[in-house]
Amino acid sequence: MICKKNDSFSIEESVSVLKKGGIAILPTDTVYGFSGISEFKNDKNLNAQKKIYSLKGRDEGKPFIHLIASPEDIFLYTDFDIPKKILNCWPGALTIIVPIKENSQLRTNAPTVAFRCPGDLWLRTIIEKCARPLYSTSVNKSGNPVLETESEIEKMFSDKVDLFVKNGDSKGALPSTLIRLEKTGFSILRQGSVIL
């Protein structure tokens, strides 16, 4: 299905698709992203992560960003003491890699997880209604440039996902700034639109 972000039903349709384990291409405050509902340890029938890996042709050892609805939600998944200067960049285009809690519900074998609280209220509303984080990764084949136009995305992927929400082209949009938090500070892994 294809709809527009400003359609009155776009939020409810996105939530419905995602809660069923479907994959949606959603506009974000950076570039278009493949999104699926994050899997928890007790989930049996959700496999959004594998579907996105397949769509991108991506190595399953490379984890995805988890989008959260509010800055405080990160503390559901980490005990790390995040500096106020960093947390104050949210909502916004900053992705933070932190150590995962031992008892976290997120299904992951990795010791760290990347989180972002997007600046777009429409997207945060979807995440909130899904009641858990969303996987997010740029719309492209692994190793190829990020697709920036609706027509490119529609041609390559619209028949391979459950929903494509259009919001115009994203030409020239910068990805999120990606940092890893450490006890001694942080390291910038990718410079994006947020300057620290």
Side-chain angles (χ1 to χ4, degrees), residues 3-15 18 24-29 32-33 35 67 69 118-129 134 163-167:
C3 69
K4 293 184 178 180
K5 181 180 175 181
N6 61 7
D7 287 338
S8 60
F9 59 87
S10 67
I11 288 177
E12 306 318 334
E13 185 63 30
S14 299
V15 171
L18 293 164
I25 295 174
L26 302 178
T28 75
D29 50 343
Y32 279 95
S35 285
L67 300 180
D120 184 85
L121 178 59
W122 176 88
L123 183 53
R124 293 201 310 276
T125 302
I126 290 171
I127 302 164
E128 184 177 9
K129 287 178 177 287
L134 298 182
L163 176 65
F164 174 24
V165 180
K166 293 183 171 184
N167 190 42

Side-chain angles (χ1 to χ4, degrees), residues 148-161:
E148 296 183 325
T149 68
E150 290 181 345
S151 59
E152 288 176 316
I153 294 170
E154 187 170 351
K155 182 178 178 182
M156 188 171 286
F157 291 114
S158 66
D159 62 340
K160 297 176 178 68
V161 297

Side-chain angles (χ1 to χ4, degrees), residues 137-185:
T137 182
S138 58
V139 177
N140 61 312
K141 285 289 187 181
S142 189
N144 292 336
V146 174
L147 298 182
E148 296 183 325
T149 68
E150 290 181 345
S151 59
E152 288 176 316
I153 294 170
E154 187 170 351
K155 182 178 178 182
M156 188 171 286
F157 291 114
S158 66
D159 62 340
K160 297 176 178 68
V161 297
D162 301 286
L163 176 65
F164 174 24
V165 180
K166 293 183 171 184
N167 190 42
D169 296 342
S170 60
K171 286 186 176 179
L174 289 173
S176 63
T177 296
L178 175 63
I179 66 171
R180 178 186 286 117
L181 290 185
E182 298 148 351
K183 288 183 179 177
T184 55

